[in-house]
Amino acid sequence: MKKLRSISQTIEPQLVLEGAGVLLRRSIAPRASNEYDPFLLFDHFAFNNPLEGPLRGFPMHPHRGIETVTYMLDGSVSHRDSLGNAGIIGPGDVQWMTSGRGILHEEMPRRGESGNIYGFQLWVNLPAAQKMGQPRYQEVKSSTIPVIEKEGATIRIVAGEVNGIRGPVTEIAASPLYMDVNLAPASKFIYPIPSGHTALAYVFEGVGEFGEQAIESVSMVVFDDDGDQIEVKSESGVRFMLIAGAPFKEPIVPYGPFVMNTPEEIKQTLADLRNGTFIQ
Ligand code: FE2
């Protein structure tokens, strides 16, 4: 008999300014307490008024010790980096960037035809043994992301598995689950998540019952880690990002765009940036 997970916390995203003045909704941010291990940060960017002024982005900045996952629903992000990569993350596309020991990159949002920009960025921790590994990318075009229809749920699988169908992003240290779940009115979604794995749901459209609790968008739901199944029901329809993964249970020391395990490693990171030895 599967045990249903209850909700341990709901988080109302806070508006923050990042990069060159980009207004974001942030639900979780890196903290030494590492409550959502292995997940560090979740940002939701939504610019819905073409008249709101000049577009700002994220000029060249470094990362070390983490993975960043960008998922766009509308508009795009053009990016380039210190490895010589450049490209555009368009609607429905995903970019899974493993910073490893170091990368410098630029991320600039662009409006789509509708005038909107809408997307998410998730940061996933790397275990100590992989923090100084080689940087790499998994670029995933919208057309290669499997879409499953299951009892009223339309599920886009970025990483993880539903009914034996796997998302395209693999070989990620936290073996995470990352899915865009769109529940039609009067339907129910049940999904197994191993007990002890961190599980979050970012509700960004509609209203749903998560366990016993009605949750209205926009809100981050944190599931209790006791239980091996989650259940979401909706009368009027709901859409959410489902995020789950195994915690590393290692101490972390976050410092801006770097997340390492000790204060010495952060000092070394800053020294590498000063000395020009940050990227190899
Ligand atoms: Fe970045």
Side-chain angles (χ1 to χ4, degrees):
M1 182 76 187
K2 294 268 187 193
K3 183 176 178 199
L4 213 58
R5 288 192 185 210
S6 55
I7 291 179
S8 66
Q9 193 188 359
T10 55
I11 301 168
E12 190 185 330
Q14 301 294 306
L15 286 172
V16 294
L17 277 174
E18 271 293 345
V22 183
L23 197 58
L24 301 163
R25 288 195 183 116
R26 176 163 294 166
S27 349
I28 64 172
R31 272 185 236 284
S33 55
N34 205 7
E35 274 172 273
Y36 312 107
D37 183 10
F39 304 108
L40 298 163
L41 172 143
F42 192 85
D43 278 348
H44 172 186
F45 33 99
F47 310 82
N48 294 319
N49 182 348
L51 301 176
E52 70 193 302
L55 257 193
R56 301 168 201 280
F58 306 88
M60 274 298 170
H61 60 276
H63 288 290
R64 175 176 279 182
I66 62 167
E67 303 185 282
T68 68
V69 186
T70 308
Y71 177 45
M72 296 303 294
L73 290 175
D74 201 356
S76 61
V77 170
S78 77
H79 67 93
R80 57 192 183 97
D81 68 43
S82 53
L83 302 172
N85 298 301
I88 289 176
I89 310 163
D93 296 345
V94 172
Q95 183 202 59
W96 199 293
M97 191 272 286
T98 305
S99 78
R101 72 175 315 281
I103 197 163
L104 290 159
H105 74 165
E106 179 185 86
E107 303 163 287
M108 304 304 272
R110 301 265 160 87
R111 296 186 193 286
E113 275 169 29
S114 61
N116 295 343
I117 297 174
Y118 201 98
F120 307 110
Q121 191 169 81
L122 168 73
W123 290 11
V124 189
N125 198 18
L126 282 169
Q130 291 179 32
K131 281 192 181 291
M132 294 299 278
Q134 286 306 308
R136 69 167 181 152
Y137 283 94
Q138 297 192 53
E139 299 267 1
V140 183
K141 286 290 164 204
S142 180
S143 57
T144 65
I145 297 177
V147 182
I148 309 286
E149 302 280 344
K150 194 185 172 196
E151 294 152 24
T154 305
I155 309 163
R156 298 191 79 223
I157 314 170
V158 176
E161 192 176 317
V162 179
N163 292 357
I165 296 167
R166 288 185 67 80
V169 175
T170 56
E171 293 168 49
I172 298 293
S175 57
L177 173 79
Y178 196 41
M179 297 176 186
D180 174 352
V181 183
N182 199 344
L183 261 191
S187 59
K188 184 156 99 170
F189 174 78
I190 296 175
Y191 194 81
I193 295 173
S195 180
H197 282 206
T198 300
L200 309 168
Y202 188 74
V203 184
F204 62 98
E205 282 173 24
V207 186
E209 271 172 61
F210 289 71
E212 319 268 80
Q213 240 173 291
I215 304 289
E216 205 173 313
S217 57
V218 177
S219 187
M220 177 69 92
V221 172
V222 182
F223 290 96
D224 196 282
D225 59 8
D226 180 29
D228 42 25
Q229 184 162 290
I230 64 154
E231 188 181 286
V232 182
K233 284 185 276 192
S234 183
E235 280 311 309
S236 52
V238 68
R239 189 171 179 187
F240 57 95
M241 298 303 296
L242 181 62
I243 308 160
F248 297 128
K249 299 183 175 161
E250 293 174 345
I252 61 165
V253 180
Y255 188 88
F258 316 117
V259 180
M260 302 303 287
N261 301 109
T262 66
E264 290 69 34
E265 288 165 349
I266 292 291
K267 258 184 226 155
Q268 185 58 50
T269 301
L270 298 176
D272 285 344
L273 271 175
R274 277 195 306 274
N275 303 337
T277 50
F278 181 74
I279 43 177
Q280 279 183 339

